[in-house]
Amino acid sequence: MINLDDPTKFRPLVGQAHQVAMNMLRPISRKYDRAEHEYPKELDMLAAMIDGLSESGASEGAGATGVRRDEAGEDKEGVKNGTNLASVMSIAEMGWGDVGLLLSMPRQGLGNSAIASVADEGQHQRFDGLWASMAITEPGTGSDSASIRTTARLDGDDYVLNGEKIFVTSGDRCDAVVVWATLDKELGRPAIKSFVVPKGTPGMNVERLEHKLGIRASDTATIRFEDCRVPAENLLGSPEVDAKQGFAGAMATFDNTRPLVAAMAVGCARAALDLTRELLEQGGVLIDYDRPAITQSAAAAKFLQMEADWEAAHLLMLQAAWMADNRKPNSLEASMAKAKAGRVGSDITLSCVELVGSVGYSEAELLEKWARDSKILDIFEGTQQIQQLIVARRILGLSSAELK
Ligand SMILES: Cc1cc2nc3c(=O)[nH]c(=O)nc-3n(C[C@H](O)[C@H](O)[C@H](O)COP(=O)(O)OP(=O)(O)OC[C@H]3O[C@@H](n4cnc5c(N)ncnc54)[C@H](O)[C@@H]3O)c2cc1C
């Protein structure tokens, strides 16, 4: 196993995130798994605490809004450990606590990351402090986000949105939704833009909430837009339909958000490994890191193999975030991190259930919950198959038209 030291300046932050996960998220984890759709009111206090840390600078800029690629790319040593790295490291800790609750944290939505990634300075100021969800998926379109059908028509100083979005995480509780819509279906990908639509805007209605396998503390909404008017200045990025830049701009958000989802998977899998090791030890199975797996019991060998997989995901997550901090193009690494962490996150949590038998399957422990929670991390923000497709395209130098 490789034991990388955390950057010294992030140790207090990571330690605090771990304390919050252990003392504030874990104790209410089962409660909100059972009480689906009930707002976890305890998170308000936590969000206020995070805001305070953020204002004081103690949070190192971590969180959904910390994924902006700032201008100062390098420090004296030529590299820097910045807000992207701080974000993945603290999110992994919070994911160790509870992924569903983490996804329900006010002002930490994926829409916040989108705003942080592509908004201009004026928009940053206007949307500061909002809790923003992200609405891309539609009834007819999931993985193929280039074929979304929600439209945005310019009318005077407003865009008028029409369409339906499904599976919007925090879509009910958020203050605003970042909606992907096309300016002109005929123009394909470059015409797709994102719009910040504040809650309460006439024409935007939450139609229903999903009942789900996992992350039940997080609300997942269907939202309909009917002649919904938003000011033209709520379009994020450039309104120009540029054949070269258009979709690439919107997709760039994912280079920043995929490492965050990888971090959630890394955190959830770590939780399962930590508890499983404890339970195995109670059952007399000791894991010896200094002896080859083949010379140990089958359970210990399986555990060591899972730790190796976890470590690979962890390292890929760190690499993708570190590259973003240092303004290096990281689409390939962000997708590799998401693919690896999403896949091994599911494998590890389910294998942990298996390793400890009936204790793992029962509600006496949180292992069965983590196995349910982790599956979504291999689905949203691009499924396992889509990440592999992106990785293959990048490595082979093929376009999306050439490799589908
Ligand atoms: C709990 C939850 C929360 C979500 N939150 C959000 C959110 O906040 N915002 C949002 O916009 N969306 C959200 N989603 C939607 C999620 O991003 C989509 O479900 C996901 O992108 C997959 O889309 P789909 O369900 O339409 O599946 P499809 O795209 O229909 O895919 C079905 C299967 O086919 C595979 N597949 C598709 N295309 C290919 C290909 N070219 N090659 C190989 N295999 C392929 C997929 O990997 C998948 O296994 C959420 C979903 C869930 C369940």
Side-chain angles (χ1 to χ4, degrees):
M1 211 169 126
I2 304 166
N3 279 320
L4 277 185
D5 273 347
D6 291 345
T8 318
K9 68 171 178 175
F10 293 156
R11 280 188 204 154
L13 170 71
V14 171
Q16 264 164 2
H18 190 77
Q19 288 303 319
V20 165
M22 190 164 58
N23 298 317
M24 297 180 84
L25 301 187
R26 282 279 178 96
I28 56 171
S29 205
R30 182 65 80 188
K31 174 180 169 189
Y32 289 104
D33 181 46
R34 292 195 178 122
E36 194 175 20
H37 299 169
E38 193 179 309
Y39 177 65
K41 54 188 180 312
E42 293 87 343
L43 294 183
D44 285 341
M45 194 174 73
L46 189 52
M49 206 173 96
I50 289 173
D51 289 346
L53 284 174
S54 169
E55 276 160 30
S56 72
S59 69
E60 300 284 351
T65 54
V67 295
R68 186 159 201 215
R69 296 185 182 209
D70 54 22
E71 297 306 316
E74 297 190 348
D75 68 8
K76 284 192 213 102
E77 285 82 42
V79 294
K80 74 175 201 173
N81 295 325
T83 54
N84 284 276
L85 196 58
S87 298
V88 291
M89 290 174 71
S90 54
I91 282 174
E93 291 302 330
M94 301 282 272
W96 180 91
D98 190 292
V99 170
L101 292 168
L102 167 60
L103 284 164
S104 310
M105 291 286 293
R107 295 178 285 290
Q108 300 296 326
L110 286 170
N112 290 98
S113 304
I115 294 171
S117 301
V118 282
D120 62 31
E121 211 40 60
Q123 290 172 327
H124 271 291
Q125 282 171 11
R126 269 196 305 131
F127 302 134
D128 187 40
L130 280 186
W131 177 3
S133 63
M134 178 93 144
I136 303 170
T137 308
E138 300 179 355
T141 309
S143 300
D144 184 12
S145 43
S147 59
I148 57 172
R149 282 189 278 193
T150 296
T151 54
R153 177 175 51 83
L154 188 62
D155 183 29
D157 293 336
D158 297 328
Y159 282 101
V160 182
L161 303 187
N162 277 288
E164 188 183 4
K165 295 290 178 182
I166 56 172
F167 290 111
V168 184
T169 298
S170 302
D172 188 36
R173 297 171 186 163
C174 64
D175 306 316
V177 185
V178 175
V179 182
W180 283 33
T182 174
L183 298 180
D184 185 342
K185 278 185 231 167
E186 303 302 312
L187 297 179
R189 291 161 189 264
I192 295 172
K193 303 287 172 185
S194 52
F195 301 83
V196 178
V197 187
K199 278 312 243 330
T201 304
M204 169 160 97
N205 292 306
V206 173
E207 302 229 306
R208 65 159 208 280
L209 298 178
E210 299 296 332
H211 291 280
K212 307 190 297 293
L213 172 76
I215 59 160
R216 290 157 63 96
S218 162
D219 67 308
T220 309
T222 292
I223 307 178
R224 182 176 286 282
F225 298 87
E226 277 172 328
D227 292 330
C228 177
R229 280 183 174 270
V230 286
E233 60 265 26
N234 283 22
L235 183 154
L236 293 174
S238 164
E240 299 304 317
V241 178
D242 176 343
K244 286 195 199 107
Q245 272 305 314
F247 202 53
M251 295 301 276
T253 308
F254 289 132
D255 298 343
N256 293 350
T257 54
R258 285 177 175 157
L260 301 181
V261 179
M264 295 175 200
V266 162
C268 189
R270 186 72 254 163
L273 287 170
D274 288 351
L275 179 58
T276 299
R277 182 168 45 209
E278 223 176 282
L279 293 169
L280 286 177
E281 280 174 5
Q282 283 170 20
V285 177
L286 293 182
I287 293 131
D288 186 344
Y289 291 95
D290 295 325
R291 273 179 34 223
I294 198 162
T295 65
Q296 301 188 44
S297 69
K302 173 73 185 170
F303 191 88
L304 286 167
Q305 176 241 311
M306 290 194 294
E307 286 234 322
D309 266 340
W310 181 87
E311 195 60 50
H314 180 227
L315 290 173
L316 285 165
M317 169 201 90
L318 295 175
Q319 181 189 29
W322 181 89
M323 289 177 78
D325 279 339
N326 290 280
R327 301 172 73 205
K328 294 175 190 290
N330 71 339
S331 289
L332 170 65
E333 291 76 10
S335 284
M336 284 168 77
K338 167 78 169 69
K340 180 74 180 177
R343 188 173 66 251
V344 305
S346 284
D347 286 353
I348 289 173
T349 50
L350 202 53
S351 298
C352 285
V353 167
E354 194 177 291
L355 264 187
V356 296
S358 53
V359 178
Y361 197 75
S362 86
E363 287 192 4
E365 298 290 352
L366 289 166
L367 282 171
E368 60 79 30
K369 177 181 180 301
W370 294 330
R372 288 186 283 113
D373 286 351
S374 61
K375 186 62 205 171
I376 189 58
L377 304 172
D378 201 25
I379 296 176
F380 67 13
E381 289 289 292
T383 63
Q384 175 65 218
Q385 292 76 12
I386 295 302
Q387 305 305 335
Q388 292 199 24
L389 202 51
I390 294 168
V391 170
R393 282 181 196 145
R394 293 265 162 194
I395 289 175
L396 299 172
L398 297 173
S399 68
S400 51
E402 290 164 325
L403 190 62
K404 295 183 183 178

